Amino acid sequence: MKESKYEELVFVYGCCSVVSFIGAFIFFVGGICFFNLKESGTGLFVIFISIISLFLGFYLLKKLKELQAMGPANYNKKIQAKKYAAEQQRIRENQRLKEIEIKRRNLAAQGIVSCPRCASTTITALRTRPDTTAIGYSVARELIGSCDVVNVCQVCGQRFYPGV
């Protein structure tokens, strides 16, 4: 018989919290042993790991109790609601992208430059400077005049080359 996602999650949270508490105990005992061997730096590190493991165990126990209080029916409703919200978000994003593409095509047909991301027409052209890490190379590029021009959208900040 196939277990539900809820039952699997309860099992995993339970097992992980138990393993975390056992690990915290083992690390703590190991830290005390290192202190007895006059390895105080290593002992402090191992005790620190045991404290982190202990906090992880308590966090997982808290999550397990929240999950058990929610119950399988409410958990499934919550998962369905998240899936529905994600699907609606994807549909809205696709619709927005289609509208932007239609707007960009109309502007391109009129010969107006627009941003490829948001279809805004407030565009600024910037001349990029040559790389200054290689001094001889940058001076040669500057003398030749091989600097690039980049368009920058003033609405969303998208950078793109002219003609895109």
Side-chain angles (χ1 to χ4, degrees), residues 131-152:
D131 187 17
T132 58
T133 56
I135 293 176
Y137 180 70
S138 67
V139 169
R141 277 184 63 184
E142 189 66 38
L143 291 174
I144 295 171
S146 62
C147 293
D148 293 331
V149 175
V150 177
N151 290 338
V152 179

Side-chain angles (χ1 to χ4, degrees), residues 5-155:
K5 190 72 172 171
Y6 172 80
E7 292 168 346
E8 291 175 8
L9 205 54
V10 168
F11 178 74
V12 168
Y13 276 158
C15 289
C16 288
S17 62
V18 168
V19 168
S20 181
F21 285 128
I22 291 172
F25 176 74
I26 291 171
F27 277 121
F28 184 75
V29 170
I32 297 299
C33 290
F34 277 116
F35 266 119
N36 289 338
L37 295 174
K38 305 290 188 229
E39 297 275 338
S40 60
T42 307
L44 282 175
F45 177 72
V46 172
I47 288 176
F48 177 72
I49 296 295
S50 73
I51 291 170
I52 290 174
S53 182
L54 193 63
F55 279 124
L56 178 65
F58 281 123
Y59 173 77
L60 289 172
L61 266 181
K62 177 183 155 203
K63 285 293 195 185
L64 177 63
K65 287 183 181 186
E66 289 174 3
L67 191 63
Q68 287 174 337
M70 186 185 304
N74 288 337
Y75 175 76
N76 290 335
K77 286 180 185 177
K78 182 178 175 183
I79 296 299
Q80 292 298 326
K82 282 184 179 180
K83 286 181 182 178
Y84 179 76
E87 180 67 20
Q88 293 300 313
Q89 176 67 25
R90 188 185 62 79
I91 290 170
R92 283 192 301 272
E93 183 66 19
N94 284 341
Q95 182 64 29
R96 186 185 71 81
L97 291 174
K98 286 178 186 176
E99 290 171 0
I100 287 174
E101 186 60 31
I102 290 170
K103 184 176 178 182
R104 284 197 71 227
R105 285 183 186 162
N106 291 339
L107 291 171
Q110 297 171 7
I112 300 173
V113 177
S114 64
C115 173
R117 183 188 293 168
C118 67
S120 171
T121 57
T122 53
I123 306 296
T124 302
L126 293 178
R127 181 176 176 213
T128 60
R129 296 181 184 268
D131 187 17
T132 58
T133 56
I135 293 176
Y137 180 70
S138 67
V139 169
R141 277 184 63 184
E142 189 66 38
L143 291 174
I144 295 171
S146 62
C147 293
D148 293 331
V149 175
V150 177
N151 290 338
V152 179
C153 176
Q154 297 299 307
V155 175

